[in-house]
Amino acid sequence: MTKNILMLATLMSALLIAGCATDRGERRAAVRGALIGAAGGAAVAAVTGGDALDGAAIGAAGGAAIGAITHDGKRRDVYRDGRGRKYWTDDNGRRHRVR
């Protein structure tokens, strides 16, 4: 019972981290990271003789956090202009509005 609660709490934290992303691209990266982390965690746990569900939960939480922090492999900082609107700049210096 405690193991199931711990696994559920880990998966819920991965979803919460994914929900905290500021734009659609970041959310997509967090979800993608969670899926990749879950698959990798389950595979490593299965190969090493551990519980695949525990490995998937731990991998999902770690992958979501890494995906939310890095977007396209690069950290995106969000700024505010003079009117208070949020934006980020790409590699070419163009501003993209955060919705």
Side-chain angles (χ1 to χ4, degrees):
M1 181 72 172
T2 304
K3 188 176 184 181
N4 291 338
I5 292 172
L6 179 64
M7 200 166 31
L8 180 64
T10 305
L11 287 172
M12 291 303 295
S13 67
L15 291 174
L16 288 172
I17 291 170
C20 290
T22 57
D23 67 352
R24 189 178 332 168
E26 262 186 54
R27 282 191 297 272
R28 195 175 307 135
V31 170
R32 188 179 314 131
L35 292 173
I36 293 170
V44 168
V47 169
T48 60
D51 186 20
L53 290 177
D54 286 343
I58 294 168
I66 292 171
I69 292 169
T70 58
H71 176 59
D72 293 334
K74 298 178 183 173
R75 181 172 166 75
R76 302 289 186 193
D77 293 322
V78 177
Y79 306 99
R80 288 186 186 269
D81 63 8
R83 297 181 190 171
R85 294 180 296 196
K86 294 180 182 178
Y87 69 93
W88 60 275
T89 57
D90 62 12
D91 295 334
N92 296 324
R94 288 179 281 187
R95 291 184 178 185
H96 299 274
R97 197 165 159 211
V98 176
R99 297 174 196 192

XYZ file of all heavy atoms in Angstrom:
707
model
N 0.819 -1.195 0.000
C 0.000 0.000 0.000
C 0.867 1.264 0.000
O 0.616 2.183 -0.750
C -0.923 -0.058 1.226
C -1.835 1.107 1.346
S -3.114 1.009 0.105
C -4.141 2.317 0.623
N 1.879 1.288 0.868
C 2.764 2.447 0.932
C 3.526 2.623 -0.375
O 3.748 3.741 -0.823
C 3.762 2.284 2.090
O 3.028 2.070 3.292
C 4.628 3.499 2.242
N 3.894 1.514 -0.987
C 4.623 1.570 -2.258
C 3.761 2.201 -3.350
O 4.234 3.020 -4.133
C 5.032 0.153 -2.649
C 5.931 0.070 -3.822
C 6.338 -1.375 -4.032
C 7.305 -1.496 -5.145
N 7.691 -2.884 -5.372
N 2.476 1.859 -3.383
C 1.573 2.437 -4.376
C 1.370 3.932 -4.143
O 1.303 4.712 -5.092
C 0.231 1.719 -4.358
C 0.324 0.311 -4.884
O 1.242 -0.012 -5.628
N -0.605 -0.527 -4.493
N 1.281 4.337 -2.898
C 1.113 5.755 -2.588
C 2.363 6.535 -2.997
O 2.270 7.618 -3.569
C 0.804 5.947 -1.091
C -0.585 5.378 -0.779
C 0.884 7.412 -0.696
C -0.925 5.334 0.688
N 3.535 5.974 -2.724
C 4.784 6.630 -3.113
C 4.886 6.762 -4.630
O 5.280 7.799 -5.146
C 5.976 5.850 -2.561
C 7.359 6.400 -2.905
C 7.540 7.777 -2.291
C 8.433 5.458 -2.409
N 4.515 5.706 -5.344
C 4.567 5.742 -6.796
C 3.579 6.771 -7.350
O 3.895 7.527 -8.266
C 4.262 4.358 -7.363
C 4.741 4.176 -8.766
S 4.767 2.479 -9.337
C 3.457 1.693 -8.504
N 2.382 6.830 -6.779
C 1.388 7.803 -7.218
C 1.855 9.228 -6.940
O 1.701 10.118 -7.778
C 0.048 7.538 -6.526
C -1.081 8.467 -6.893
C -1.440 8.301 -8.375
C -2.293 8.196 -6.034
N 2.473 9.441 -5.786
C 2.988 10.771 -5.457
C 4.095 11.181 -6.412
O 4.174 12.344 -6.832
C 3.495 10.783 -4.017
N 4.943 10.260 -6.811
C 6.020 10.567 -7.751
C 5.463 10.930 -9.115
O 5.898 11.900 -9.741
C 6.978 9.373 -7.874
O 7.438 9.012 -6.572
C 8.162 9.700 -8.747
N 4.485 10.175 -9.590
C 3.876 10.479 -10.880
C 3.131 11.814 -10.852
O 3.179 12.586 -11.814
C 2.935 9.353 -11.307
C 3.624 8.074 -11.758
C 2.596 6.966 -11.980
C 4.419 8.304 -13.014
N 2.455 12.092 -9.749
C 1.746 13.366 -9.637
C 2.722 14.544 -9.627
O 2.439 15.593 -10.195
C 0.875 13.388 -8.378
C -0.307 12.437 -8.445
S -1.390 12.734 -9.858
C -2.013 14.346 -9.470
N 3.873 14.369 -8.984
C 4.858 15.452 -8.988
C 5.394 15.697 -10.396
O 5.656 16.832 -10.781
C 5.997 15.152 -8.018
O 6.749 14.058 -8.451
N 5.531 14.638 -11.189
C 5.964 14.814 -12.579
C 4.930 15.614 -13.363
O 5.280 16.497 -14.152
C 6.186 13.459 -13.239
N 3.662 15.335 -13.145
C 2.611 16.093 -13.836
C 2.568 17.537 -13.373
O 2.349 18.449 -14.175
C 1.258 15.427 -13.618
C 1.062 14.084 -14.307
C -0.271 13.470 -13.889
C 1.129 14.250 -15.805
N 2.778 17.773 -12.087
C 2.791 19.142 -11.586
C 3.951 19.937 -12.155
O 3.806 21.108 -12.494
C 2.839 19.143 -10.057
C 1.558 18.713 -9.369
C 1.788 18.573 -7.867
C 0.441 19.687 -9.649
N 5.107 19.302 -12.258
C 6.262 19.985 -12.851
C 5.970 20.331 -14.307
O 6.268 21.420 -14.770
C 7.531 19.125 -12.728
C 7.960 19.041 -11.264
C 8.658 19.684 -13.580
C 9.052 18.042 -11.008
N 5.354 19.412 -15.028
C 5.014 19.672 -16.425
C 4.008 20.807 -16.537
O 4.058 21.608 -17.460
C 4.460 18.415 -17.081
N 3.093 20.918 -15.581
C 2.086 21.979 -15.606
C 2.644 23.345 -15.275
O 2.031 24.364 -15.576
N 3.804 23.413 -14.645
C 4.395 24.691 -14.253
C 5.150 25.368 -15.387
O 5.660 26.468 -15.216
C 5.336 24.499 -13.066
S 4.479 24.117 -11.541
N 5.270 24.728 -16.515
C 5.981 25.318 -17.647
C 5.235 26.563 -18.117
O 4.024 26.657 -18.022
C 6.101 24.304 -18.771
N 5.979 27.546 -18.627
C 5.377 28.831 -18.943
C 4.743 28.902 -20.327
O 3.857 29.705 -20.536
C 6.423 29.958 -18.831
O 7.515 29.651 -19.702
C 6.907 30.088 -17.417
N 5.174 28.121 -21.258
C 4.570 28.171 -22.584
C 4.330 26.757 -23.107
O 4.722 25.779 -22.497
C 5.399 29.006 -23.555
C 6.748 28.395 -23.891
O 7.124 27.405 -23.261
O 7.422 28.923 -24.786
N 3.662 26.682 -24.230
C 3.282 25.389 -24.787
C 4.495 24.530 -25.136
O 4.500 23.324 -24.915
C 2.431 25.601 -26.039
C 1.820 24.333 -26.541
C 0.959 24.554 -27.740
N 0.389 25.889 -27.763
C -0.217 26.426 -28.804
N -0.336 25.741 -29.898
N -0.700 27.639 -28.767
N 5.536 25.136 -25.648
C 6.743 24.393 -25.996
C 7.419 23.797 -24.772
O 7.896 22.671 -24.804
N 7.438 24.560 -23.677
C 8.028 24.044 -22.448
C 7.198 22.903 -21.877
O 7.742 21.931 -21.371
C 8.149 25.153 -21.407
C 9.515 25.756 -21.343
C 9.614 26.741 -20.206
O 9.303 26.386 -19.056
O 10.012 27.879 -20.479
N 5.879 23.035 -21.924
C 5.019 21.950 -21.438
C 5.234 20.697 -22.272
O 5.313 19.593 -21.740
C 3.554 22.372 -21.484
C 3.156 23.275 -20.344
C 1.665 23.450 -20.282
N 1.096 24.091 -21.452
C 0.964 25.401 -21.612
N 1.375 26.220 -20.670
N 0.432 25.893 -22.700
N 5.326 20.880 -23.574
C 5.565 19.739 -24.459
C 6.907 19.086 -24.144
O 7.021 17.861 -24.109
C 5.519 20.208 -25.907
C 5.401 19.091 -26.901
C 5.231 19.589 -28.312
N 4.143 20.538 -28.437
C 4.223 21.681 -29.110
N 5.319 22.005 -29.735
N 3.200 22.494 -29.183
N 7.926 19.897 -23.876
C 9.245 19.363 -23.542
C 9.202 18.625 -22.206
O 9.847 17.581 -22.052
C 10.273 20.492 -23.493
N 8.432 19.138 -21.237
C 8.333 18.472 -19.937
C 7.620 17.134 -20.067
O 8.038 16.129 -19.478
C 7.596 19.365 -18.944
N 6.550 17.096 -20.841
C 5.826 15.842 -21.035
C 6.688 14.849 -21.802
O 6.752 13.669 -21.454
C 4.477 16.091 -21.752
C 3.829 14.789 -22.174
C 3.551 16.888 -20.848
N 7.377 15.324 -22.827
C 8.277 14.457 -23.585
C 9.378 13.911 -22.683
O 9.713 12.721 -22.731
C 8.885 15.230 -24.751
C 9.680 14.373 -25.701
C 10.243 15.167 -26.869
N 9.264 16.051 -27.463
C 9.486 17.335 -27.722
N 10.641 17.891 -27.438
N 8.545 18.083 -28.261
N 9.935 14.754 -21.823
C 10.960 14.306 -20.891
C 10.425 13.270 -19.913
O 11.111 12.300 -19.575
N 9.174 13.467 -19.454
C 8.571 12.498 -18.537
C 8.371 11.149 -19.211
O 8.628 10.099 -18.613
C 7.242 13.029 -18.006
N 7.927 11.166 -20.461
C 7.727 9.908 -21.176
C 9.041 9.177 -21.431
O 9.139 7.964 -21.237
C 6.995 10.161 -22.494
C 5.540 10.617 -22.371
C 4.993 10.988 -23.738
C 4.702 9.536 -21.727
N 10.042 9.922 -21.845
C 11.352 9.311 -22.087
C 11.950 8.803 -20.779
O 12.504 7.711 -20.712
C 12.291 10.313 -22.788
C 11.787 10.596 -24.205
C 13.730 9.787 -22.820
C 12.485 11.743 -24.887
N 11.818 9.602 -19.714
C 12.332 9.184 -18.416
C 11.631 7.954 -17.890
O 12.255 7.068 -17.298
N 10.314 7.872 -18.080
C 9.562 6.700 -17.624
C 10.005 5.448 -18.370
O 10.205 4.390 -17.762
C 8.072 6.927 -17.812
N 10.174 5.561 -19.673
C 10.616 4.409 -20.455
C 12.027 3.986 -20.051
O 12.306 2.793 -19.865
C 10.564 4.734 -21.947
N 12.903 4.952 -19.903
C 14.281 4.634 -19.509
C 14.354 4.062 -18.106
O 15.088 3.095 -17.848
N 13.596 4.640 -17.180
C 13.592 4.135 -15.808
C 13.052 2.722 -15.718
O 13.577 1.886 -14.976
N 11.998 2.437 -16.465
C 11.433 1.085 -16.467
C 12.417 0.089 -17.068
O 12.572 -1.028 -16.562
C 10.122 1.064 -17.245
N 13.097 0.488 -18.132
C 14.066 -0.412 -18.779
C 15.244 -0.709 -17.859
O 15.650 -1.867 -17.716
C 14.552 0.201 -20.087
N 15.765 0.321 -17.207
C 16.901 0.114 -16.307
C 16.490 -0.755 -15.123
O 17.218 -1.659 -14.713
C 17.472 1.469 -15.831
C 18.448 1.285 -14.686
C 18.140 2.186 -16.990
N 15.300 -0.497 -14.570
C 14.830 -1.296 -13.433
C 14.618 -2.755 -13.838
O 14.937 -3.669 -13.074
C 13.546 -0.710 -12.874
N 14.087 -2.989 -15.021
C 13.851 -4.360 -15.475
C 15.162 -5.107 -15.700
O 15.281 -6.280 -15.359
C 13.025 -4.354 -16.759
N 16.160 -4.420 -16.247
C 17.450 -5.057 -16.510
C 18.187 -5.363 -15.207
O 18.829 -6.402 -15.067
C 18.316 -4.160 -17.433
C 19.742 -4.649 -17.503
C 17.711 -4.107 -18.818
N 18.076 -4.465 -14.234
C 18.809 -4.652 -12.977
C 18.045 -5.496 -11.965
O 18.544 -5.725 -10.868
C 19.137 -3.292 -12.342
O 17.920 -2.591 -12.076
C 20.042 -2.479 -13.241
N 16.847 -5.944 -12.310
C 16.088 -6.802 -11.409
C 15.194 -6.050 -10.448
O 14.641 -6.633 -9.531
N 15.025 -4.767 -10.641
C 14.154 -3.971 -9.777
C 12.731 -3.980 -10.292
O 12.396 -4.651 -11.275
N 11.882 -3.225 -9.630
C 10.483 -3.116 -10.029
C 10.367 -2.101 -11.169
O 10.781 -0.945 -11.034
C 9.633 -2.678 -8.840
C 8.157 -2.689 -9.141
O 7.747 -3.378 -10.098
O 7.405 -2.003 -8.425
N 9.804 -2.533 -12.284
C 9.707 -1.663 -13.459
C 8.806 -0.455 -13.204
O 9.078 0.635 -13.705
C 9.197 -2.455 -14.659
N 7.756 -0.618 -12.408
C 6.864 0.511 -12.121
C 7.557 1.567 -11.275
O 7.381 2.767 -11.495
C 5.593 0.031 -11.436
C 4.637 -0.780 -12.301
C 3.458 -1.262 -11.485
C 4.163 0.049 -13.481
N 8.351 1.144 -10.301
C 9.112 2.107 -9.510
C 10.113 2.855 -10.388
O 10.259 4.076 -10.284
C 9.864 1.401 -8.380
C 8.955 0.954 -7.259
O 7.813 1.449 -7.194
O 9.395 0.111 -6.459
N 10.791 2.139 -11.251
C 11.746 2.772 -12.153
C 11.081 3.754 -13.091
O 11.610 4.827 -13.358
N 9.883 3.394 -13.574
C 9.147 4.296 -14.465
C 8.720 5.559 -13.732
O 8.806 6.661 -14.282
C 7.932 3.578 -15.039
N 8.272 5.419 -12.490
C 7.837 6.594 -11.726
C 9.002 7.530 -11.435
O 8.892 8.748 -11.603
C 7.180 6.147 -10.421
N 10.115 6.973 -11.028
C 11.291 7.799 -10.740
C 11.818 8.433 -12.017
O 12.161 9.622 -12.045
C 12.374 6.959 -10.045
C 11.877 6.531 -8.660
C 13.691 7.719 -9.945
C 12.720 5.484 -8.003
N 11.858 7.683 -13.099
C 12.313 8.231 -14.377
C 11.399 9.314 -14.910
O 11.858 10.309 -15.480
N 10.085 9.160 -14.704
C 9.132 10.175 -15.168
C 9.323 11.479 -14.418
O 9.296 12.558 -15.018
C 7.707 9.662 -14.995
N 9.513 11.404 -13.119
C 9.713 12.624 -12.336
C 10.996 13.338 -12.748
O 11.005 14.560 -12.955
C 9.745 12.291 -10.851
N 12.071 12.582 -12.895
C 13.332 13.189 -13.308
C 13.281 13.740 -14.719
O 13.769 14.833 -14.998
N 12.653 12.998 -15.623
C 12.549 13.456 -17.008
C 11.697 14.697 -17.157
O 12.007 15.583 -17.952
N 10.610 14.788 -16.386
C 9.760 15.985 -16.446
C 10.507 17.204 -15.947
O 10.405 18.293 -16.527
C 8.490 15.764 -15.640
N 11.260 17.036 -14.873
C 12.023 18.167 -14.342
C 13.072 18.638 -15.344
O 13.202 19.838 -15.599
C 12.682 17.769 -13.029
N 13.794 17.707 -15.925
C 14.818 18.082 -16.895
C 14.184 18.687 -18.141
O 14.672 19.672 -18.692
C 15.697 16.866 -17.238
C 16.532 16.476 -16.019
C 16.600 17.154 -18.438
C 17.260 15.177 -16.155
N 13.068 18.119 -18.601
C 12.391 18.662 -19.774
C 11.853 20.062 -19.553
O 11.871 20.901 -20.445
N 11.356 20.335 -18.329
C 10.830 21.673 -18.035
C 11.935 22.708 -17.945
O 11.756 23.862 -18.330
C 10.035 21.654 -16.733
N 13.092 22.289 -17.443
C 14.200 23.229 -17.277
C 14.861 23.543 -18.615
O 15.209 24.679 -18.892
C 15.230 22.667 -16.284
C 14.615 22.631 -14.885
C 16.503 23.490 -16.276
C 15.430 21.868 -13.883
N 15.011 22.548 -19.447
C 15.657 22.758 -20.737
C 14.610 22.590 -21.837
O 13.846 21.645 -21.826
C 16.791 21.754 -20.976
O 16.262 20.438 -20.910
C 17.880 21.905 -19.945
N 14.585 23.519 -22.728
C 13.651 23.484 -23.855
C 14.484 23.493 -25.115
O 15.227 24.439 -25.353
C 12.734 24.690 -23.776
C 11.792 24.811 -24.917
N 10.883 23.840 -25.226
C 11.614 25.795 -25.824
C 10.180 24.235 -26.274
N 10.610 25.410 -26.656
N 14.382 22.431 -25.905
C 15.220 22.260 -27.097
C 16.700 22.257 -26.733
O 17.539 22.746 -27.474
C 14.959 23.347 -28.137
C 13.574 23.253 -28.731
O 13.018 22.139 -28.735
O 13.060 24.279 -29.176
N 17.007 21.729 -25.561
C 18.387 21.644 -25.121
C 18.961 22.948 -24.613
O 20.112 23.025 -24.265
N 18.156 23.998 -24.560
C 18.635 25.298 -24.122
C 17.668 25.872 -23.100
O 16.468 25.706 -23.195
C 18.735 26.262 -25.306
C 19.701 25.793 -26.338
C 19.725 26.735 -27.479
C 20.665 26.183 -28.545
N 20.640 26.938 -29.744
N 18.218 26.546 -22.136
C 17.388 27.198 -21.138
C 16.815 28.478 -21.736
O 17.525 29.245 -22.362
C 18.217 27.517 -19.907
C 17.426 28.179 -18.825
C 18.249 28.282 -17.559
N 17.654 29.176 -16.615
C 16.585 28.904 -15.881
N 16.007 27.740 -16.026
N 16.105 29.766 -15.032
N 15.533 28.680 -21.542
C 14.869 29.882 -22.045
C 14.477 30.769 -20.868
O 13.744 30.350 -19.990
C 13.601 29.513 -22.820
C 13.832 28.588 -23.976
C 14.529 29.286 -25.082
N 14.601 28.389 -26.225
C 15.360 28.605 -27.259
N 16.110 29.656 -27.320
N 15.385 27.755 -28.249
N 14.995 31.972 -20.834
C 14.634 32.921 -19.790
C 13.472 33.771 -20.270
O 13.424 34.186 -21.430
C 15.815 33.816 -19.439
C 16.932 33.034 -18.769
O 16.608 32.130 -17.978
O 18.105 33.323 -19.038
N 12.530 34.033 -19.385
C 11.351 34.825 -19.710
C 11.559 36.225 -19.157
O 11.964 36.404 -18.016
C 10.079 34.180 -19.113
C 8.859 35.042 -19.378
C 9.882 32.791 -19.677
N 11.280 37.229 -19.989
C 11.439 38.629 -19.622
C 10.093 39.338 -19.716
O 9.134 38.810 -20.255
C 12.428 39.320 -20.579
C 13.753 38.619 -20.691
C 14.019 37.772 -21.761
C 14.721 38.802 -19.737
C 15.240 37.128 -21.868
C 15.951 38.157 -19.829
C 16.193 37.330 -20.898
O 17.391 36.685 -20.998
N 10.048 40.563 -19.209
C 8.862 41.411 -19.340
C 9.256 42.696 -20.071
O 10.307 43.270 -19.801
C 8.297 41.789 -17.977
C 7.619 40.656 -17.271
C 6.962 41.170 -16.003
N 6.431 40.082 -15.229
C 5.194 39.628 -15.343
N 4.368 40.184 -16.187
N 4.779 38.636 -14.598
N 8.387 43.125 -20.982
C 8.655 44.384 -21.664
C 8.084 45.541 -20.846
O 7.614 45.349 -19.724
C 8.102 44.365 -23.093
C 6.595 44.227 -23.146
O 5.941 44.292 -22.097
O 6.072 44.063 -24.259
N 8.122 46.742 -21.386
C 7.662 47.932 -20.681
C 6.179 47.907 -20.332
O 5.739 48.586 -19.410
N 5.402 47.132 -21.054
C 3.961 47.038 -20.800
C 3.601 45.872 -19.889
O 2.440 45.620 -19.635
C 3.218 46.885 -22.112
C 3.384 48.064 -23.022
C 2.609 47.864 -24.282
N 2.944 48.872 -25.253
C 2.556 48.851 -26.488
N 1.810 47.852 -26.929
N 2.896 49.808 -27.324
N 4.605 45.115 -19.447
C 4.357 44.001 -18.548
C 4.085 42.674 -19.241
O 3.802 41.681 -18.582
N 4.168 42.642 -20.575
C 3.943 41.387 -21.304
C 5.192 40.521 -21.245
O 6.307 41.018 -21.337
C 3.576 41.683 -22.752
C 2.243 42.394 -22.877
C 1.933 42.662 -24.309
N 2.951 43.594 -24.837
C 2.825 44.280 -25.954
N 1.750 44.139 -26.687
N 3.770 45.088 -26.358
N 4.995 39.219 -21.100
C 6.108 38.282 -21.006
C 6.554 37.853 -22.398
O 5.732 37.682 -23.288
C 5.712 37.054 -20.207
C 5.419 37.330 -18.760
C 5.041 36.054 -18.064
C 4.702 36.279 -16.629
N 4.295 35.034 -15.962
N 7.863 37.664 -22.557
C 8.410 37.179 -23.824
C 9.727 36.470 -23.554
O 10.305 36.579 -22.484
C 8.623 38.330 -24.813
C 9.725 39.277 -24.415
C 11.019 39.100 -24.885
C 9.484 40.353 -23.562
C 12.043 39.948 -24.532
C 10.494 41.212 -23.192
C 11.764 41.015 -23.678
O 12.777 41.850 -23.310
N 10.190 35.696 -24.546
C 11.516 35.104 -24.524
C 12.147 35.363 -25.875
O 11.460 35.635 -26.839
C 11.485 33.612 -24.185
C 10.708 32.760 -25.140
C 9.373 32.524 -25.111
C 11.207 32.055 -26.268
N 9.002 31.712 -26.144
C 10.115 31.395 -26.872
C 12.471 31.892 -26.833
C 10.256 30.605 -27.998
C 12.602 31.092 -27.955
C 11.500 30.468 -28.523
N 13.471 35.333 -25.936
C 14.160 35.588 -27.203
C 14.789 34.302 -27.710
O 15.305 33.499 -26.933
C 15.247 36.662 -27.039
O 16.164 36.248 -26.039
C 14.643 37.998 -26.656
N 14.731 34.116 -29.020
C 15.356 32.933 -29.617
C 16.811 33.231 -29.944
O 17.336 34.293 -29.599
C 14.574 32.460 -30.846
C 14.522 33.482 -31.961
O 15.269 34.481 -31.925
O 13.739 33.280 -32.903
N 17.463 32.294 -30.599
C 18.882 32.442 -30.906
C 19.161 33.567 -31.889
O 20.279 34.065 -31.972
C 19.435 31.133 -31.465
C 19.395 30.022 -30.431
O 19.426 30.336 -29.229
O 19.326 28.850 -30.828
N 18.165 33.977 -32.654
C 18.334 35.057 -33.628
C 17.957 36.412 -33.055
O 17.945 37.409 -33.775
C 17.485 34.775 -34.867
C 17.945 33.516 -35.573
O 19.136 33.241 -35.622
N 17.011 32.753 -36.085
N 17.623 36.475 -31.766
C 17.271 37.732 -31.133
C 15.824 38.146 -31.306
O 15.447 39.243 -30.891
N 15.004 37.289 -31.916
C 13.578 37.617 -32.089
C 12.814 37.328 -30.811
O 13.052 36.332 -30.147
C 12.979 36.833 -33.234
C 13.444 37.323 -34.592
C 12.847 36.501 -35.653
N 13.667 35.273 -35.672
C 13.554 34.316 -36.558
N 12.633 34.370 -37.475
N 14.346 33.269 -36.524
N 11.876 38.211 -30.483
C 11.054 38.026 -29.304
C 9.857 37.135 -29.621
O 9.247 37.275 -30.679
C 10.542 39.358 -28.794
C 11.607 40.233 -28.208
C 11.002 41.492 -27.634
N 12.011 42.318 -27.023
C 11.760 43.415 -26.362
N 10.514 43.834 -26.217
N 12.732 44.105 -25.818
N 9.545 36.257 -28.683
C 8.353 35.409 -28.791
C 7.530 35.609 -27.536
O 8.048 35.492 -26.424
C 8.751 33.937 -28.934
C 9.559 33.671 -30.152
N 8.973 33.406 -31.363
C 10.900 33.657 -30.347
C 9.930 33.216 -32.265
N 11.101 33.372 -31.667
N 6.282 35.907 -27.728
C 5.401 36.207 -26.608
C 4.998 34.923 -25.878
O 4.731 33.895 -26.486
C 4.154 36.900 -27.144
C 3.390 37.588 -26.111
C 2.405 38.524 -26.743
N 1.384 38.787 -25.751
C 0.141 39.031 -26.021
N -0.255 39.085 -27.257
N -0.708 39.260 -25.064
N 4.973 34.991 -24.560
C 4.505 33.888 -23.730
C 3.034 34.118 -23.462
O 2.632 35.189 -23.033
C 5.283 33.818 -22.397
C 4.737 32.729 -21.500
C 6.758 33.632 -22.661
N 2.219 33.114 -23.745
C 0.773 33.278 -23.575
C 0.309 32.748 -22.282
O 0.669 31.900 -21.673
C 0.035 32.574 -24.700
C 0.394 33.219 -26.001
C -0.169 32.497 -27.147
N 0.564 32.980 -28.303
C 0.222 32.751 -29.513
N -0.811 32.040 -29.758
N 0.922 33.219 -30.500
